[in-house]
Amino acid sequence: MAPNAPYEPAPVRDEADDLRAGRRKAARYIVPIAVAGVAAATIGLVPAFAGSGDPDLPKLSAQELIEKIAASDTEQLSGNVKISTDLGLPSFAGLADLGDLAGGGGKGGKGGAADPQSKLLELVTGSHNLKVAVDGPDRQKLTMLGKGSEFSLIHNGDDVWAYDSASKEAVHSKADSGASHEADPAMTPSELAEQALKAVDPTTKVTVDGTSRIAGRNAYQLKLEPKQSGSTISSVTIDVDADTYVPLKFALNSTDGGKPVIDAGFTNIDFSKPAASNFAAPKGAKITEADELEKDALKDAPKGELPKDVEKDLKDLEKELDKGGKPGEGDFGGMNVIGEGWAAVATFDTGGEGVPAAGDKGEDMPAGMSGLLDSFGDKVSGKFGEGTVFKTRLINVLMTDDGKVYAGAVTKDALVKAANEAK
């Protein structure tokens, strides 16, 4: 996220001026990609993990079902999961070169093939098959199955590994380090229940919408719907195992109809204790420590002293992170939240220019970005001025021509309204 201080070019350019200009240019191109990044992060927050038939089960109210989810003591399971994602995003072909610009790992270099950020971005589109194993809060494993290869995220106690079987490369970090938060391979059933409970607030309608059969097991279907207008989400359904009260399937549905934006569910599941071998360190892998990757990234960073205002912004953000700050909890590195519940809109100031104008295909335009901007950007205007809305079926982002950003799981009209009110 770009710092929120505006930058004015000095009459005479020097190295610091070049860095400021570069950061402004980067903001113009990275913010549209943030649409995909936010969507990818959403998958990581999904409270769920997909049958036929409507079993006859004892009646439960929504409150009773939520209480049973929260009280579930199941902490051991393994199984196969199918996840399908349809965010309405254009093809990412030709955008691989943006990895370094956006802060992701590249294809080359130490641990490149095992970089979890770039690998998990694949979940943003299409259908994928996963294997999941959970043995309490300290041991989890998630494996993405590919054609003749696998990519695994393994958490065992204090250690986290990201492992690519094709290249036999792995990245290792400690579970108490910042890197581990990006590579945490799974959420426990109690954490899944916590996510479901967080959605139950005065802005949410909650019902038990019948029963189902998921992965050969009887389940209740919990349905969450927004009471507010303006959300891109029509409903969220969570199929909950009738015996263990573990979420078995999750579907997030869009107001535009069609198939779910995200549809993730177990195709088979076993509640016995997974074998310890699931959580062992990758054998025969070339292992790179996460802090080595960070040092390499610093070596590749622009040389010279950072402008003092940039250093201050970065230090302030680091302090907030150290204190456990999160977006939505007051000010977070320049980010604020307008509204609440399903209609919440996050906003911050990039301190730079807006997105490139139509036909702006100069030397600063990264390869493939022009097509991306043209394919899902709409020009809008209002009291706030003018800007561009970048769309997916779930997350929409408005970037104004003066560099302010408004983002949320809300419609284009809701973003324009939020920008007008903020003005």
Side-chain angles (χ1 to χ4, degrees), residues 338 345-347 396-400 404-408 415 418-419 422-423:
I338 301 171
V345 174
T347 178
N396 291 327
V397 176
L398 164 61
M399 186 172 185
T400 67
K404 294 182 177 62
V405 176
Y406 301 85
L415 288 177
K423 192 68 176 181

Side-chain angles (χ1 to χ4, degrees), residues 1-358:
M1 178 171 57
N4 59 356
Y7 304 111
E8 297 294 336
V12 180
R13 295 185 62 85
D14 57 16
E15 192 172 51
D17 292 324
D18 290 337
L19 182 57
R20 291 189 184 98
R23 294 175 71 252
R24 286 200 299 270
K25 293 169 186 173
R28 301 174 71 198
Y29 303 119
I30 292 175
V31 169
I33 291 299
V35 177
V38 172
T42 303
I43 295 174
L45 295 177
V46 166
F49 287 75
S52 62
D54 297 310
D56 185 13
L57 299 174
K59 300 296 182 184
L60 284 179
S61 67
Q63 182 64 35
E64 289 172 331
L65 182 54
I66 290 174
E67 290 174 353
K68 288 182 178 294
I69 295 172
S72 174
D73 59 359
T74 301
E75 291 192 335
Q76 297 173 332
L77 61 85
S78 59
N80 288 59
V81 176
K82 182 175 182 179
I83 179 168
S84 298
T85 310
D86 181 13
L87 292 162
L89 289 169
S91 172
F92 284 93
L95 296 179
D97 292 340
L98 294 177
D100 292 336
L101 179 63
K107 292 181 180 179
K110 296 179 180 179
D115 174 29
Q117 294 184 49
S118 59
K119 192 66 180 180
L120 293 179
L121 187 62
E122 294 180 15
L123 295 177
V124 173
T125 59
S127 296
H128 303 271
N129 294 307
L130 315 174
K131 290 194 298 185
V132 176
V134 177
D135 184 12
D138 294 328
R139 285 175 292 278
Q140 302 98 32
K141 180 178 181 179
L142 182 147
T143 300
M144 296 174 58
L145 305 177
K147 294 180 179 179
S149 64
E150 297 181 351
F151 179 84
S152 297
L153 292 171
I154 306 165
H155 173 208
N156 189 342
D158 293 333
D159 297 297
V160 176
W161 293 275
Y163 172 64
D164 178 74
S165 68
S167 65
K168 296 190 181 301
E169 292 183 352
V171 175
H172 172 260
S173 61
K174 303 304 289 185
D176 59 353
S177 70
S180 69
H181 297 300
E182 296 174 354
D184 198 3
M187 289 189 291
T188 65
S190 60
E191 289 171 327
L192 296 172
E194 181 180 354
Q195 293 299 324
L197 289 170
K198 283 181 180 178
V200 181
D201 62 17
T203 70
T204 308
K205 177 184 177 182
V206 188
T207 58
V208 176
D209 194 36
T211 62
S212 60
R213 287 279 292 177
I214 306 295
R217 298 183 66 87
N218 294 339
Y220 292 95
Q221 189 170 85
L222 187 68
K223 187 173 186 178
L224 313 180
E225 299 171 278
K227 293 180 179 179
Q228 303 159 298
S229 62
S231 176
T232 57
I233 301 172
S234 63
S235 67
V236 170
T237 56
I238 303 171
D239 295 77
V240 183
D241 186 75
D243 292 327
T244 65
Y245 299 101
V246 169
L248 299 176
K249 178 174 164 57
F250 170 91
L252 186 150
N253 301 292
S254 172
T255 52
D256 67 3
K259 59 184 179 181
V261 177
I262 302 170
D263 191 349
F266 277 101
T267 56
N268 61 70
I269 189 168
D270 183 348
F271 288 102
S272 60
K273 181 182 178 69
S277 58
N278 282 289
F279 315 109
K283 291 184 178 179
K286 178 184 177 182
I287 297 178
T288 301
E289 294 298 324
D291 56 1
E292 290 182 33
L293 296 181
E294 294 174 1
K295 291 177 182 177
D296 288 344
L298 289 174
K299 290 179 183 177
D300 294 335
K303 305 301 180 183
E305 184 180 353
L306 285 172
K308 291 183 178 180
D309 52 359
V310 177
E311 287 185 344
K312 182 179 183 301
D313 286 339
L314 293 176
K315 288 179 180 178
D316 289 345
L317 179 57
E318 185 177 1
K319 288 178 182 178
E320 288 295 326
L321 291 171
D322 289 341
K323 292 189 294 185
K326 297 179 181 178
E329 297 179 354
D331 179 74
F332 178 78
M335 180 179 286
N336 290 288
V337 175
I338 301 171
E340 62 179 354
W342 304 75
V345 174
T347 178
F348 62 94
D349 191 338
T350 67
E353 305 170 51
V355 297

